[in-house]
Amino acid sequence: MTSPPAGSAGQRGVQGTGAGPDQVALDAAEALFRAEWARLVGAARLLLDEPADAEEVTQEAFVQLLRHWDELRDPDRAGAWLRTTVVNLSRARLRRRLVVRRHPVRHEPDAEPADGTASTAHDVARVGAALALLPRRQRECIVLRHWSELELSQIAATLGISVGSVKTHLHRAMATLGDSLEDERD
Amino acid sequence: MTDQGPTADGQPDRPSSDRDQRVVGAVSELGRRGGSEPPPGAWDRVVAAASAGGPRSRSRSRVLGAAAAIAVLVGGAVAVVAWVGDDPVDVATSPPSTASPSTSTAPNTTPTPDPPTGRILPSDLPPCAGQPSYRTLADRLPEFVPDGLLLDWAHTVVNVVDPTVPGIPQMTFGLAALDDGRLTNWVTLQRFDTEGFQVSPDQQPGFASDGESLDSVRGRPGRVVRSVNRGDPVGVAAARWVENDAGWSASSVEMSVDELAAALAALELTGGEPVDPTGRFEVVGRSEPARITESRDTTIEFRSIGQPSTSDLPGAPLKIEIQSSSPGAQGRTTGQWRLDPSVPAEAFTLDGRLALRSGPLLFTSLSDGSQLTVTALGEVDDDQLERLIAGLAPVDADAPRLAEVPVVPGYWEGTDGLCRE
């Protein structure tokens, strides 16, 4: 994507608790947007019952980032900030979507895995369905570990829980997801 | 998924079995479906929304909607980010009716509250007309409100379950030993169909090589081992075996291989629910692929007198959740699964039924079988809590006191599926 044209939204100040980022900061934020989009929208997709909400949540996280850019003492932590915000926004959205939560989401398998090697369609469908039914905390741990590829200490910091709890959640979640592969009644 | 090298904890950081690798591969595949590139114009829309000052409405606007549409929607509510240094501890919203709701100091931004009160009362709701799932007036209200609190909002989510959705293939029970009221020695016990069930260690999610293992469970061929997983060097004691035309698995974080084997040996597994005739273990949670046709989930939230609604922020002083479908219904668990294993838990009897408490969470059931979760953050003593739970009475939709209770805490909650039965 090219930079916004002169006079476009990207050239305006951003309103937040402070004056908002200047153009240099906007450029940095846009670079972050390009670099982190796929990873964040993937995490949101795994966290939310309704995959179509993933892009909206990710966009919302960047809107919040711009609004609070001035409050970031360390812009290098913007990526971690975004991750946490995506988790929080997804969590808030799930609370509002109890109706959907009661329906296990069916992750329909693609004809072929995206890279042709990663997983069978069966595995994706099974794990997707089981993931949707995991307790929230287990699900968040799985997504942050195996999609966002965070270390345990980073997951603990993101979720505000102990490393020990992260380990426990991961272990239980992996056991449940693994068990979902064992039932072959399709 | 690429190999990631060792973790900060120095543990091997790669899927430890074929089964783990399949899970991780599937998770990665699902995540990749989010797409690799932002939609055209997405960044401009982000900047436009941020520039507009207020947040977007919680209505079902889509990212792919026009930027202009986002600008129109921003007036509906105001976002709040609770900050600790650089850390967003939570992202939430507050109703626009609060005195100083905006995080924006922009003089050129004038959020337009809609509706003015930001709260939706029962009289605002349209009739429910054949919707399969919706939110409506609360089925229940408490007859007693603890000191210093007031009823903030309440609603019931009604969901007609799609009978074609496949259920969870396994039944799961949570068991724990009662030691002077404290819950210890948690065991997760699962029952599977035998088709595809494996007791082979090769199908387990990683095994330590210390040799601590047994080759029989309850006198039948099976395996009890110390199972470890990536990032979990302690692991769990895990057992798998086949019995009565079902595959069984059990695991415990706290117990050793021998202790788990002994605990399993004592159980009766012939009925619908495991029973420990010695009385040491008790079922404290269950999840099963039961079929239901409708569920009704009621949420009732309180706030401190003089404080604004804090529903979406951590710290609402008291929240009640009631699941009124059959216990253990599809996709639903009862009891232990919401407990943080790092927080001590206790069991006690409340109004003649088993109750679990761990930190701020309390789980029990009501006399009609509904499952009850109470989150109380220290402002309610035990006597008040018991009184509150005992007084959770069904309320008629035309009851005058229900008419004054907002169905959602603020307009930002969204109006999706809100209606009156």
Side-chain angles (χ1 to χ4, degrees), chain B residues 119-399:
Chain B
R119 318 199 76 191
I120 299 173
L121 293 169
S123 57
D124 300 325
L125 301 182
C128 300
Q131 303 176 62
S133 299
Y134 50 88
R135 295 183 291 176
T136 189
L137 311 187
D139 278 350
R140 295 172 185 265
L141 281 183
E143 295 174 340
F144 163 76
V145 176
D147 297 340
L149 302 180
L150 56 82
L151 197 54
D152 191 20
W153 61 272
H155 69 219
T156 292
V157 174
V158 180
N159 183 33
V160 178
V161 176
D162 178 356
T164 67
V165 174
I168 309 167
Q170 69 268 21
M171 177 174 283
T172 305
F173 301 99
L175 294 91
L178 293 178
D179 179 11
D180 196 22
R182 311 291 286 182
L183 292 168
T184 64
N185 294 307
W186 295 92
V187 177
T188 299
L189 179 67
Q190 291 188 292
R191 187 172 70 204
F192 302 85
D193 287 348
T194 52
E195 185 178 357
F197 183 81
Q198 300 281 344
V199 296
S200 164
D202 295 336
Q203 299 299 316
Q204 293 293 309
F207 283 83
S209 58
D210 59 9
E212 186 184 16
S213 65
L214 300 172
D215 290 327
S216 70
V217 186
R218 296 168 54 82
R220 297 167 175 83
R223 291 281 286 167
V224 193
V225 300
R226 172 59 54 177
S227 168
V228 298
N229 206 306
R230 57 188 300 179
D232 183 6
V234 176
V236 298
R240 294 174 78 82
W241 73 103
V242 174
E243 178 176 348
N244 294 335
D245 296 324
W248 293 84
S249 76
S251 63
S252 172
V253 175
E254 299 169 77
M255 285 191 276
S256 69
V257 164
D258 289 337
E259 289 171 336
L260 177 61
L264 294 174
L267 297 180
E268 292 180 355
L269 300 178
T270 52
E273 189 167 279
V275 175
D276 182 0
T278 71
R280 181 183 177 213
F281 283 92
E282 188 158 350
V283 174
V284 292
R286 55 185 284 153
S287 174
E288 59 183 301
R291 285 282 184 246
I292 54 174
T293 55
E294 181 182 276
S295 64
R296 301 182 73 90
D297 298 344
T298 300
T299 301
I300 305 166
E301 196 157 303
F302 298 79
R303 61 185 163 101
S304 300
I305 293 174
Q307 297 295 314
S309 174
T310 56
S311 166
D312 233 11
L313 293 169
L318 181 63
K319 182 176 185 178
I320 294 172
E321 297 164 275
I322 305 167
Q323 297 181 343
S324 295
S325 59
S326 57
Q330 177 176 307
R332 176 163 298 170
T333 59
T334 65
Q336 74 162 108
W337 280 277
R338 283 186 61 192
L339 296 179
D340 183 337
S342 65
V343 179
E346 61 178 348
F348 56 100
T349 301
L350 184 62
D351 198 17
R353 292 176 292 279
L354 176 69
L356 309 179
R357 177 154 56 189
S358 178
L361 293 173
L362 186 152
F363 302 96
T364 189
S365 55
L366 299 176
S367 58
D368 64 358
S370 301
Q371 295 298 305
L372 177 68
T373 303
V374 179
T375 307
L377 298 180
E379 296 185 25
V380 185
D381 64 32
D382 285 355
D383 289 342
Q384 289 187 322
L385 206 52
E386 187 166 353
R387 214 174 140 196
L388 177 77
I389 293 171
L392 280 171
V395 59
D396 188 86
D398 296 323

Side-chain angles (χ1 to χ4, degrees), chain A:
Chain A
M1 178 178 164
T2 57
S3 297
S8 75
Q11 296 290 329
R12 294 200 300 267
V14 172
Q15 309 301 334
T17 52
D22 55 20
Q23 188 58 48
V24 173
L26 273 177
D27 289 344
E30 184 176 1
L32 195 64
F33 180 77
R34 311 222 161 283
E36 296 291 331
W37 173 270
R39 190 59 68 180
L40 291 170
V41 81
R45 191 186 194 286
L46 288 162
L47 290 170
L48 288 165
D49 284 333
E50 195 167 327
D53 284 350
E55 288 188 352
E56 192 168 359
V57 160
T58 305
Q59 171 178 280
E60 178 73 18
F62 276 97
V63 169
Q64 298 291 349
L65 176 68
L66 288 184
R67 286 193 184 136
H68 298 279
W69 187 271
D70 289 348
E71 299 169 46
L72 280 175
R73 287 197 296 264
D74 180 3
D76 288 343
R77 294 193 60 203
W81 191 97
L82 282 165
R83 249 189 333 261
T84 303
T85 302
V86 164
V87 170
N88 288 339
L89 285 169
S90 299
R91 195 181 290 171
R93 189 161 295 218
L94 278 179
R95 281 200 292 268
R96 285 186 287 273
R97 297 208 181 286
L98 286 176
V99 170
V100 178
R101 187 75 178 93
R102 297 297 176 247
H103 289 291
V105 173
R106 282 195 259 194
H107 293 266
E108 298 298 339
D110 289 343
E112 294 291 340
D115 61 5
T117 60
S119 290
T120 66
H122 167 274
D123 286 1
V124 171
R126 284 287 182 194
V127 171
L131 188 69
L133 295 176
L134 283 181
R136 186 196 77 199
R137 199 68 100 181
Q138 290 185 23
R139 188 177 186 179
E140 290 170 352
C141 286
I142 282 288
V143 172
L144 293 175
R145 185 79 186 101
H146 296 301
W147 171 253
S148 298
E149 299 185 347
L150 301 189
E151 294 180 353
L152 300 182
S153 57
Q154 292 176 304
I155 299 172
T158 300
L159 300 180
I161 59 178
S162 68
V163 170
S165 290
V166 171
K167 292 176 181 177
T168 302
H169 289 312
L170 278 173
H171 194 285
R172 291 182 175 179
M174 285 299 286
T176 301
L177 296 178
D179 285 341
S180 74
L181 298 174
E182 295 191 352
D183 185 86
E184 303 295 335
R185 300 170 306 165
D186 267 336

